[in-house]
Amino acid sequence: MTGNTTLLLGMAMDVQPTSAHDTEGPEMEEPTQNHTYQDMLDTMCNSTYGKVNATATTPKLFVFTVYGVLLTTIGLLGIAGNLISITILSRRKMRSSINCCLIGLTSFDMIVTSTSILMFGLSGICDYTGAMTWYANGFYQRVMPFVYPLGMIAQTGSIYLTVTVTVERYVAVCRPLQARSICTYGRAKVYVMVVAFFSIIYNLPRFWEVSYMVCRQNGEEERVIVIPSPLRQNDQYIQIYIMWMYLFVMYLIPFLSLMVFNSFIYKEVRAANHARIHLSRLERKEIGLAVMLLVVVTVFFLCNVLAFIINVLEMSRIVLDELTVTSNLLVTINSSVNFIIYCIFGQKFRRVFLKMFCSRILPASLARDRANSAYCEPSRVLTNGGGGETICLGHRRSHPLVTTTHGTPRTSLNTTAESAYHNRRNDFYEYDKKDQSSFQCFD
C-alpha cells in the first residue's frame, strides 16, 4: 500500500472522518522540495478549517454504500462467525494440527475485520451522515496510530497462515508418510507462533508511520487530524519498504506459494476422485478436507487479486479510488466468509455447531441424523448363512438394524464377524494418541 490511496489497512489518514461541521475531509499533501514537513502539517490544519477541498475524488454516496453499509455489515457478521469458529475449533474433540492453524487464521481474520470497521466502516458513516461526532472529532484520530499497525500485523498473519494451512494439507495429502511427524498439534502451535512473530517483526515500522495532531485556530473549535510521520514521507522508505518489500512479502511470495502447493493438491484430489472406490474412509476424509481448503484458497485469490493489481498500478502512479474502495471491501469479505465455508464442507464442524447452538431449535433434525448413521454398506452386511437373514451394522452398537425373512427379529449377532468388521474399521485410525499426531478435523 503506497502513496495516498486507501487500500485496506493502508494509510488510514487518507480516509479520516470529517465532523458534522466539515464538507470534506482533508487530503494529505505530499511534501515537495519547496515545502518542509511543518509546512505540510500547517496546510493540513488550514484545510481542515478552511474546507478547501470542496470536491471529493470519490463520491460520498459510493463510499457510504461500500464502507458504511456493506463493509460494516459484512465485518460485523464476520466477527460473529469467527468467534463461533474459534469456539468450535477449540473444543477438545476438534483438537488437531489443522484446527490449531485454523484457530490462528480465524483470530487474525477477526482482527482484520475489526480494524476494517474502525478505519473504514465507521468513518464512511460519519462522512455521509454527520453522526457519531465523538468518533469523528478525536477518537478515530487518537486510536489510529495503534489500530493501523495492528491491522497490518493481522493482515500479514492471515496471509501467511493461509499459506501454512496449504502446506499442511499438501503434506497430509501428497506426503502421507511424513504427515505423522510433521502434522502434529505441538508443531502446529509452533507454526502459528512463528507466523505471528514474523508478522509483528515485519510490521514494526508501521508503529512509526502514523500519528495525530491537534489543530487550533483563533475563534475556531479544536480539531484533531491524522498525520503521516516524517518516516512515512521518506522517499527511500517509501520505495524500499512500502513499495517493493510490500509487493514481494504480501503478494508475490504467498501467491506463488499458494499456486504451487495447491496445484499439487488439486492433482492429488483429481486422481483420488477417479479411484474413490478404492479409498479408505480416512483417505476420503483427507481428500474432503483438501477440497475445503482449496475453496478457502480460491476465495483468498479472488478477494486479494484486485489489491495486488492496484499496488502494481500505484508503482506507475496510477490511482483509481473506486477500485481501492472495492478492494477494501473484498479483503474484508475474505476475512469474514471462512465460517460459511467450514459449515458447508466440514461435516464434523457443522455437526458440532448444530449441537452447540441449534440443539434445542432442531431436535428433530439431529434425531434424523443419528438415525441415518445406522445404514447398510456392502462391507457391513452379515448374513446368517442360508437363513436369509441380513444384519446391517450401524454406529449404534446396542441397537443394530436387523431384518429377517422369517418375520422374527434375531436377538444375537455373529460376534466373530462383527468383531472382525470393527477391527477393520479401527485400522483406519492408527494415529499415535500420545503425541496427538492426528491431523483430522472434519469428518
Side-chain angles (χ1 to χ4, degrees), residues 274-420:
H274 289 301
R276 193 171 185 83
I277 191 174
H278 303 295
L279 296 177
S280 67
R281 184 184 178 189
L282 180 60
E283 290 171 332
R284 288 197 297 268
K285 289 179 182 180
E286 293 296 342
I287 296 300
L289 183 55
V291 171
M292 184 198 75
L293 293 175
L294 282 175
V295 175
V296 171
V297 173
T298 301
V299 173
F300 173 84
F301 273 116
L302 293 177
C303 292
N304 285 275
V305 66
L306 182 58
F308 171 71
I309 294 173
I310 292 173
N311 273 271
V312 174
L313 292 176
E314 283 193 321
M315 299 183 74
S316 302
R317 302 294 182 179
I318 301 175
V319 177
L320 302 174
D321 290 339
E322 287 77 8
L323 286 182
T324 299
V325 173
T326 305
S327 173
N328 294 340
L329 175 62
L330 290 176
V331 175
T332 304
I333 291 174
N334 176 66
S335 297
S336 304
V337 300
N338 283 346
F339 168 75
I340 299 175
I341 298 175
Y342 300 158
C343 286
I344 294 175
F345 291 92
Q347 295 181 10
K348 187 173 183 180
F349 183 94
R350 183 170 61 249
R351 188 163 60 247
V352 174
F353 169 74
L354 292 175
K355 183 178 180 181
M356 291 179 61
F357 299 99
C358 305
S359 57
R360 296 182 180 180
I361 302 175
L362 302 173
S365 175
L366 294 177
R368 285 194 299 270
D369 290 342
R370 288 193 295 268
N372 291 335
S373 65
Y375 59 94
C376 288
E377 289 182 354
S379 62
R380 297 189 180 190
V381 175
L382 301 179
T383 60
N384 187 25
E389 182 177 28
T390 301
I391 303 172
C392 299
L393 298 179
H395 296 292
R396 298 177 297 173
R397 298 183 181 182
S398 59
H399 301 285
L401 299 180
V402 180
T403 60
T404 175
T405 56
H406 304 293
T408 303
R410 180 181 175 92
T411 57
S412 62
L413 297 174
N414 186 330
T415 57
T416 303
E418 182 183 7
S419 177

Side-chain angles (χ1 to χ4, degrees), residues 9-12 119 144-152 206 209-210:
L9 308 179
M11 290 309 298
M119 294 171 64
M144 200 50 52
F146 308 99
V147 173
Y148 164 62
L150 179 63
M152 292 300 301
R206 304 289 184 179
E209 283 189 12
V210 182

Side-chain angles (χ1 to χ4, degrees), residues 212-223:
Y212 69 91
M213 183 176 67
V214 179
C215 298
R216 296 181 180 88
Q217 283 192 2
N218 295 331
E220 297 284 349
E221 67 176 342
E222 181 181 281
R223 303 286 179 85

Side-chain angles (χ1 to χ4, degrees), residues 45 62 74 83 128 172 319 431:
C45 273
F62 177 75
I74 293 172
L83 283 173
Y128 189 76
V319 177
Y431 293 105

